[in-house]
Amino acid sequence: MNPVYLDYNATTPVDPRVLSVMLPYFSEKFGNASSGTHSYGWLAKAAVDKAREQVAQLIGSDGSEVYFNSGSTEGINFVLKGIFNAYQTKGNHFITFADEHKAVGDTFEYLRKRGAEVTVIPINNKGQINLNDIEQAINSKTVLLSCMYANNETGVIHPVQEIAEICKKSNVIFFSDATQAAGKINIDVKTGPDALTISGHKVYGPKGAGAVFLRRRNPRVMPEALIHGGGHEKALRSGTLNVPAIVGLGQACELARIERESDVERILILRNKLEDFIKQEFKGIVNGDNSPRLSNTLNIMLPGIASEKLLSSLKDVAFSIGSACTSAVPEPSHVLSAMGLSKEQSYSSVRFSLGRFTTEQEIESVISSLKRFKEKS
Ligand code: PLP
């Protein structure tokens, strides 16, 4: 039997309803969306146009403000590097936060070497940001502020609307990595960020597909292109469009828009059941407790228990731990460290993230596994 999948923040399975609309675009509807001389191309273009509208509807934008790409890492690189390159005359100062995803953090590290000045604002022990810090960090050379909608590790949701107001008042572009927020909380760019990224594989769409929103006016956000070529996506992202993936992303966004509220309600009950059990049986302490959090995410510290040990014992559950295993010696999570957790506390933290296909039975079975673990240890 496959392990119970509780790692939806890492990636989601493609919803069968998404897959079924994608499939014809691999076979009989295989046209190139740029082929303007025949019906194969027209069909593909119509499908891409529809997907653009579906994405736009999820985030409250206009279809003309949506640009397709390969996912959030690309979207983040495009916006941050593209704005740095295009807005040099305005300034070179950027603002970001300590809990941003590596795709943002590493891109800013690169830009620093290219002459950008980057202010990294800390987060508090609840994973929250302080709006006063933003007001203080902005100066006459500030071009852009980057703040994720919701954190991928803790699920903590940031006050995007309030940040947008501050940025607007100060004439600073507000970019938000909405990779984890999309499909989980309401996103409305009308009162939110001027630019944002989403990713197909976090919303039950395919991997390798994503979209960037760029506000068209007030302010008009115009990064320089990262990839040059045939002038696709209004010359901001050249390369033949991945039509099946784009169709899938569009359908995934439509389902997310229609089903978000009922999904969230159902998932929250299951998440809370697991959370209550771990709090009670393991004296678990939720990282980001008392903050607004995504309903599907549970990042919890189990005092005195090494997460690596839990991981190797709970073979029938797929979940994440509070350290990155990219090196020989696991590094504590930069998000948990920024929240003030010690190395030991990070090493005792685990992340369960639930999703559309999580069942009550699965949560029961995870609870049983945890009970067995407790009895043995
Ligand atoms: N930003 C956040 C918050 C994420 O969780 C992820 C993926 O884990 C990314 C960006 C990168 O997205 P992608 O896998 O589409 O490149």
Side-chain angles (χ1 to χ4, degrees):
M1 217 167 67
N2 284 335
V4 173
Y5 188 72
L6 292 187
D7 208 10
Y8 280 81
N9 284 10
T11 196
T12 57
V14 174
D15 190 301
R17 295 167 293 176
V18 169
L19 182 63
S20 69
V21 297
M22 289 173 68
L23 286 175
Y25 292 91
F26 287 105
S27 47
E28 70 264 32
K29 298 180 182 175
F30 62 86
N32 183 331
S34 309
S35 300
T37 53
H38 50 70
S39 61
Y40 291 91
W42 302 333
L43 205 78
K45 180 169 184 309
V48 169
D49 288 346
K50 181 179 172 192
R52 212 181 290 284
E53 289 304 320
Q54 289 169 315
V55 174
Q57 279 186 22
L58 180 69
I59 59 174
S61 78
D62 192 84
S64 63
E65 298 172 310
V66 172
Y67 301 81
F68 289 116
N69 60 22
S70 68
S72 285
T73 301
E74 182 187 329
I76 289 162
N77 272 265
F78 163 57
V79 173
L80 301 184
K81 291 177 184 170
I83 294 289
F84 173 77
N85 288 334
Y87 287 66
Q88 303 254 333
T89 50
K90 179 170 184 228
N92 67 341
H93 180 235
F94 292 78
I95 300 172
T96 184
F97 295 84
D99 66 333
E100 291 282 293
H101 190 271
K102 285 278 177 205
V104 171
D106 288 358
T107 303
F108 275 130
E109 276 315 306
Y110 166 82
L111 289 177
R112 239 191 250 272
K113 292 186 201 126
R114 298 265 322 273
E117 275 186 36
V118 184
T119 301
V120 182
I121 297 180
I123 53 170
N124 69 15
N125 60 4
K126 297 189 178 93
Q128 297 166 343
I129 65 162
N130 180 344
L131 294 172
N132 289 332
D133 289 345
I134 299 178
E135 307 251 18
Q136 279 175 16
I138 292 175
N139 65 41
S140 60
K141 294 228 176 302
T142 310
V143 181
L144 175 144
L145 175 144
S146 172
C147 178
M148 67 203 317
Y149 239 95
N151 186 274
N152 47 304
E153 294 191 29
T154 58
V156 171
I157 299 166
H158 291 312
V160 166
Q161 226 163 306
E162 286 85 342
I163 299 171
E165 279 166 29
I166 297 172
C167 287
K168 195 165 248 352
K169 196 174 66 185
S170 316
N171 202 20
V172 169
I173 296 168
F174 174 24
F175 165 67
S176 187
D177 172 3
T179 310
Q180 294 293 342
K184 299 184 189 129
I185 53 175
N186 185 37
I187 296 181
D188 189 356
V189 295
K190 285 192 243 8
T191 52
D194 302 312
L196 63 75
T197 49
I198 64 163
S199 181
H201 76 103
K202 308 285 187 184
V203 291
Y204 309 93
K207 294 174 179 57
V212 159
F213 154 77
L214 299 177
R215 196 183 297 292
R216 214 171 32 168
R217 52 179 103 78
N218 200 16
R220 180 175 175 79
V221 180
M222 213 14 90
E224 210 179 88
L226 203 61
I227 300 173
H228 301 87
H232 309 76
E233 298 300 270
K234 296 186 210 143
L236 283 181
R237 205 278 191 174
S238 286
T240 300
L241 296 185
N242 183 352
V243 179
I246 288 169
V247 166
L249 173 63
Q251 184 66 23
C253 287
E254 183 165 327
L255 291 173
R257 181 172 59 79
I258 296 166
E259 298 181 1
R260 181 180 60 81
E261 284 183 13
S262 56
D263 270 356
V264 162
E265 210 176 301
R266 196 185 61 81
I267 291 167
L268 183 62
I269 293 169
L270 298 179
R271 197 275 310 264
N272 287 349
K273 185 170 180 159
L274 182 60
E275 180 171 319
D276 291 345
F277 172 80
I278 299 175
K279 275 180 172 170
Q280 212 174 351
E281 295 298 319
F282 291 88
K283 298 193 169 44
I285 298 165
V286 174
N287 297 318
D289 211 0
N290 301 321
S291 295
R293 264 188 305 145
L294 297 175
S295 63
N296 78 316
T297 307
L298 172 60
N299 193 312
I300 190 159
M301 184 184 30
L302 287 73
I305 293 175
S307 55
E308 295 266 10
K309 187 173 169 220
L310 193 64
L311 196 64
S312 56
S313 305
L314 260 65
K315 293 251 185 293
D316 49 357
V317 189
F319 63 102
S320 290
I321 57 176
S323 53
C325 318
T326 43
S327 54
V329 184
E331 287 289 316
S333 135
H334 74 281
V335 176
L336 298 184
S337 298
M339 288 167 71
L341 269 74
S342 67
K343 269 188 179 182
E344 287 64 35
Q345 289 172 323
S346 273
Y347 293 149
S348 291
S349 295
V350 296
R351 181 190 72 183
F352 298 103
S353 47
L354 290 65
R356 184 178 288 166
F357 304 112
T358 307
T359 62
E360 174 144 29
Q361 223 176 5
E362 286 182 320
I363 295 301
E364 295 285 0
S365 118
V366 174
I367 287 175
S368 301
S369 299
L370 284 164
K371 275 186 189 154
R372 282 198 296 278
F373 170 81
K374 194 182 169 196
E375 278 159 19
K376 273 197 236 154
S377 49

